[in-house]
Amino acid sequence: MRRNGGQIVCEALLREGVDVIFGLPGGAILPLYQILPEFPELRHILVRHEQGAAHAADGYARVTGRPGVAWATSGPGATNLVTGIATAQMDSVPMVVVTGQVGRAAIGSDAFQETDITGITLPITKHNYLVMHASEIAGVIKEAFHIASTGRPGPVLVDIPKDVFTEEVDVEWPDEIDLPGYKPNLQGHSGMIRRAANLINEAERPVILAGHGVILSQAFDELRELAEKAQIPVVPTLLGLSGFPDDHVLCVGMPGMHGMAYASLAIEEADLLIALGMRFDDRITGDTSSFATGSKKIHVDVDPSEIGKNIPVDVPIVGDVKRVLVDLNKRVQPSTHIDWLNRIEELKRDHPSMLVRETDKLIPQYVIKEISEATNGEAIVVTGVGQHQMWAAQHYSYNEPRSLVSSGGAGSMGYEVPGAMGAQVGRPDKVVWSVAGDGGFQMTMCEIATMVENHIPVKIAILNNGFLGMVRQWQEIFYNSSYVATGYSANPDFVKLAEAFGAFGARVTDKSQVRSTIMEAMAFDGPAIVDFVVEQEENVYPMIPAGMSVREMIEEPRPQEART
């Protein structure tokens, strides 16, 4: 069957089940775009900036579990993808990126818009390819999707020179993939699983640390079975939120730098940590030398390089979380741990981190709580990075799988708008709220035009404090309130901006307006932006300063106002 390179790309994507592509054309990838009308099953969403394409593909992947796809042209088109690719790599998100490259004869000549994108993205992709012959495309695309979505997921980039898109070849579609050096270990070692079960059966104060790997492996039922069978409290990491229902009696809440104080203290008092699909990152551990020194540790992760990287463990298990839990649950004995669960309830009473203080002021925690209640915890929430991200993590109740989408590892400001767009495209049946800071929103707000154009009805809550809030908070606490380059004095009128884009816009300055405006935004048939003008110098608590231990944790000062 004779096909040109562009046709092979499109047909290969269809064979992988792709239904949507986020992208922006340019000279080097134009031959691929000109083929696109021949494949109406592929929906293309024209973004306003390539970073938006990458983040949207990322958001799509996180809520569907299927690889997201982004396209861009050579040079600046490809380099504009880099932040989005790095974000996906840090958070193990499956993504396949196709970039156009200058023609084969021009490679290495510093031609117009020539950039070595495979070289640039080598450390931030799971794998990448430079395809020099059209006959290679079918096999490369099949491999790219396999690598992106198996083992520890991640982004794969496929760079294709312009003239390869137009080269005609007799295409052969591969039935199988042969990658001798790539065979992820999914099952877990049976001996290690037996040792893990023995430790769990002997433990008096066990805690499950549930990370993103629970969601990636879809181990929702298996995690719940383990927790309920042995009555073990579950502490989800930031990216582990929505892997275990927040409203479950055994859910303790997020630990770490801005996690619940009682969750961090429970980890410290535990005699056994069962770490599932998480990587003991610095926002969880703080000072690694003093992290949870009184406990034995079981670590389950599909990526062997994560085992023992940051924290020594007693029982390492390399494998897919879901498959390991299926075996482990058979060997774990029913238990109750009544004294331990009572102790955690005591910690909650003594360190009530989840409470929103009663005040007439419009505070961001109240806004998040109202969105949570208005949506009954059933929306998908997409955040950027900073204070708003932490408040969204703390005060929204995530009771459904894959309902929190956030840039956890890379901490990419601006993720919240295009990430929400991708999430909404992936789950058109769900209400999607983007929780944004006024700083991050302005980084990628151009994608509001994309949402309006494609009728993608994301609801955006801007927690507008006129600051780069988390940086300001650090300046307040660690730099004697010396606010350098963190305040905005000329933010645009976000309501007029929304209206200019053709979206719904509203401003909220008083508590009494919050719920009704949330409902009005959700009733609007299209994208909606609500500008919540919140207290400027509200801080996120608790806080464990970077590199320190739970013993240095700063809890919220006791307010004069009553708490509810």
Side-chain angles (χ1 to χ4, degrees), residues 19 33 81 95 110 115 159 173 180 184 188 197 207 283 320 324 348 394 407 420 462 472 494 508 522:
D19 57 0
Y33 269 88
L81 294 167
M95 198 158 80
D110 291 338
T115 297
D159 195 31
W173 300 105
V207 164
R283 288 300 193 258
D320 174 78
V324 170
K348 288 181 178 179
Q394 292 175 340
S407 173
I462 303 174
R472 183 212 57 76
F494 292 119
V508 172
M522 289 199 292

Side-chain angles (χ1 to χ4, degrees), residues 17 106 112 249 346 553:
F112 177 67
V249 68
E346 184 181 351
M553 178 165 53

Side-chain angles (χ1 to χ4, degrees), residues 339-409:
D339 291 343
W340 177 225
L341 296 176
N342 286 336
R343 171 57 181 157
I344 289 177
E345 290 304 313
E346 184 181 351
L347 289 173
K348 288 181 178 179
R349 288 193 296 273
D350 293 344
H351 305 272
S353 309
M354 284 288 285
L355 298 183
V356 177
R357 75 175 185 278
E358 186 62 32
T359 174
D360 293 333
K361 298 173 183 175
L362 181 56
I363 58 176
Q365 302 94 316
Y366 178 79
V367 173
I368 300 297
K369 201 78 176 174
E370 286 292 294
I371 294 175
S372 182
E373 292 180 4
T375 58
N376 198 30
E378 296 173 352
I380 292 173
V381 174
V382 183
T383 81
V385 170
Q387 287 184 313
H388 70 277
Q389 177 192 35
M390 294 297 105
W391 284 315
Q394 292 175 340
H395 297 288
Y396 194 93
S397 184
Y398 299 96
N399 298 321
E400 297 190 2
R402 301 183 184 276
S403 56
L404 173 65
V405 175
S406 186
S407 173

Side-chain angles (χ1 to χ4, degrees), residues 22-294:
F22 302 92
L24 199 156
I29 202 171
L30 210 49
L32 176 59
Y33 269 88
Q34 296 310 113
I35 290 294
L36 201 50
E38 297 179 16
F39 299 89
E41 308 96 319
L42 291 173
R43 179 188 181 191
H44 180 269
I45 294 178
L46 174 62
V47 297
R48 289 335 193 240
H49 190 283
E50 292 86 349
Q51 182 181 347
H55 286 327
D58 176 308
Y60 174 93
R62 296 196 203 215
V63 300
T64 64
R66 303 192 301 272
V69 177
W71 286 2
T73 194
S74 63
T79 57
N80 282 344
L81 294 167
V82 166
T83 297
I85 295 171
T87 301
Q89 172 77 350
M90 286 290 283
D91 289 349
S92 308
V93 177
M95 198 158 80
V96 174
V97 177
V98 178
T99 50
Q101 183 54 276
V102 300
R104 284 171 287 190
I107 290 177
S109 69
D110 291 338
F112 177 67
Q113 292 191 332
E114 181 189 2
T115 297
D116 177 11
I117 194 61
T118 52
I120 289 171
T121 59
L122 187 64
I124 57 167
T125 52
K126 188 173 177 184
H127 193 55
N128 66 27
Y129 297 86
L130 173 59
V131 183
M132 294 298 283
H133 300 283
S135 59
E136 300 170 359
I137 292 176
V140 165
I141 296 288
K142 190 171 184 64
E143 286 181 8
F145 275 84
H146 177 71
I147 293 170
S149 58
T150 55
R152 179 178 183 172
V156 177
L157 182 138
V158 181
D159 195 31
I160 304 177
K162 182 176 183 177
D163 56 325
V164 174
F165 287 125
T166 56
E167 183 181 23
E168 290 193 354
V169 295
D170 290 322
V171 61
E172 293 183 9
W173 300 105
D175 295 324
E176 297 182 353
I177 292 171
D178 182 22
L179 295 171
Y182 178 70
K183 295 191 183 301
N185 185 354
L186 304 177
Q187 203 57 47
H189 189 280
S190 58
M192 289 296 153
I193 293 174
R194 277 197 299 274
R195 284 179 57 188
N198 290 338
L199 284 182
I200 293 171
N201 293 335
E202 294 167 359
E204 296 180 355
R205 301 183 306 281
V207 164
I208 295 173
L209 260 173
H212 197 196
V214 171
I215 296 171
L216 291 168
S217 69
Q218 302 189 67
F220 311 110
D221 293 339
E222 292 76 11
L223 170 58
R224 188 172 186 138
E225 181 183 347
L226 173 62
E228 292 180 348
K229 186 175 185 180
Q231 290 295 289
I232 303 174
V234 178
V235 175
T237 66
L238 172 64
L239 293 185
L241 288 171
S242 79
F244 190 78
D246 271 355
D247 60 359
H248 194 288
V249 68
L250 290 170
C251 187
V252 180
M254 182 181 75
M257 178 176 282
H258 291 296
M260 304 300 103
Y262 46 79
S264 296
L265 292 166
I267 288 174
E268 282 303 301
E269 294 188 14
D271 64 356
L272 176 66
L273 291 185
I274 308 159
L276 304 177
M278 53 86 67
R279 56 191 176 87
F280 289 109
D281 82 293
D282 59 288
R283 288 300 193 258
I284 297 290
T285 64
D287 177 10
T288 54
S289 67
S290 60
F291 174 75
T293 54

Side-chain angles (χ1 to χ4, degrees), residues 434-487:
S434 167
V435 177
D438 50 305
F441 175 78
Q442 291 180 78
M443 287 185 173
T444 52
M445 63 184 180
C446 56
E447 302 306 340
I448 302 298
T450 310
M451 294 182 193
V452 172
E453 195 166 78
N454 293 277
H455 197 68
I456 302 169
V458 171
K459 315 305 173 188
I460 300 174
I462 303 174
L463 301 183
N464 179 6
N465 57 15
F467 275 108
L468 297 170
M470 187 62 84
V471 187
R472 183 212 57 76
Q473 178 172 334
W474 282 45
Q475 290 172 331
E476 176 188 326
I477 295 174
F478 304 119
Y479 295 90
N480 297 317
S481 299
S482 176
Y483 297 161
V484 179
T486 43

